[in-house]
Amino acid sequence: MVGAGWTSSSSQYAGTESPGEAWAEEAAKAGRQGTHRIVEAGTVQAPARIAALLKVPEGSPVVVRRRAVDLDGSTVELTDSFFLTEVAAGTALARPAKIRGGPARLLRESGIEMPQVVEEIESRPATKAEAEALRLPADVWVLVMHRTCATADGRPVQVDVMVVSALDQRLRYEMQTGGTTL
């Protein structure tokens, strides 16, 4: 989700070794500069939606990594990644620094593979904080994607919440069903 004239595929970010590097490479292919910043990391109480997606009680402790995704020096996406405390507490996931190879590598090295990915997209008015961070004009809505990553047996481990301006967005999905690409 980037904007006019650019179609981004989320499949390259789900479970990738380093989403930050994938973003930088995608932006570079379009002649742009993509970076991301860790805004905050630590343990928080799971909000209702995150708790439901992670299948834990609301208010349970979860580890969050909040990032700002920038394109050519301007923030274009806000991403919060929530992890089960039992797999993330005490690891680099709970610290506000970039992780060499990204969270997926860190989880794989601890024996956690997440081949199941479900994405849900909704639109809504931007919050005041989102509008300020994304420098949105008045009354611009945002698209919110909830990406749930789960183990082969269906155990959710990570939920990413990505917020972008709804202006000039194009979403494209490719899926395989019954051996046929749609």
Side-chain angles (χ1 to χ4, degrees):
M1 295 190 283
V2 175
W6 184 346
T7 302
S8 179
S9 172
S10 65
S11 63
Q12 66 187 336
Y13 299 103
T16 187
E17 281 294 319
S18 180
E21 290 174 17
W23 168 240
E25 290 170 10
E26 180 181 5
K29 286 179 186 173
R32 316 277 297 271
Q33 181 181 14
T35 60
H36 74 281
R37 298 172 277 121
I38 308 300
V39 177
E40 175 187 356
T43 302
V44 298
Q45 293 181 334
R49 179 82 183 269
I50 300 305
L53 292 171
L54 284 174
K55 298 181 181 174
V56 299
E58 183 176 347
S60 294
V62 293
V63 171
V64 67
R65 292 178 62 76
R66 300 186 194 283
R67 296 179 310 285
V69 179
D70 298 337
L71 180 64
D72 298 332
S74 294
T75 301
V76 295
E77 178 179 303
L78 304 172
T79 301
D80 293 350
S81 296
F82 296 87
F83 302 88
L84 292 175
T85 300
E86 63 206 57
V87 300
T91 72
L93 294 169
R95 293 190 291 274
K98 292 184 180 181
I99 298 170
R100 187 174 176 87
R105 181 201 53 83
L106 187 76
L107 290 168
R108 262 195 302 283
E109 286 177 356
S110 55
I112 299 171
E113 297 279 344
M114 297 180 295
Q116 294 184 16
V117 177
V118 175
E119 293 182 347
E120 300 174 42
I121 300 171
E122 61 190 37
S123 62
R124 61 166 171 74
T127 66
K128 183 178 179 181
E130 291 165 346
E132 288 174 7
L134 296 170
R135 297 184 187 138
L136 299 178
D139 300 323
V140 170
W141 281 40
V142 292
L143 295 178
V144 182
M145 178 190 299
H146 285 80
R147 175 185 296 143
T148 304
C149 303
T151 59
D153 63 357
R155 176 181 168 227
V157 173
Q158 175 179 346
V159 173
D160 299 321
V161 181
M162 291 150 278
V163 178
V164 298
S165 167
L167 288 175
D168 300 318
Q169 294 296 333
R170 181 182 315 138
L171 306 174
R172 180 173 184 261
Y173 286 88
E174 292 183 32
M175 296 173 259
Q176 290 194 359
T177 59
T180 305
T181 301
L182 300 177

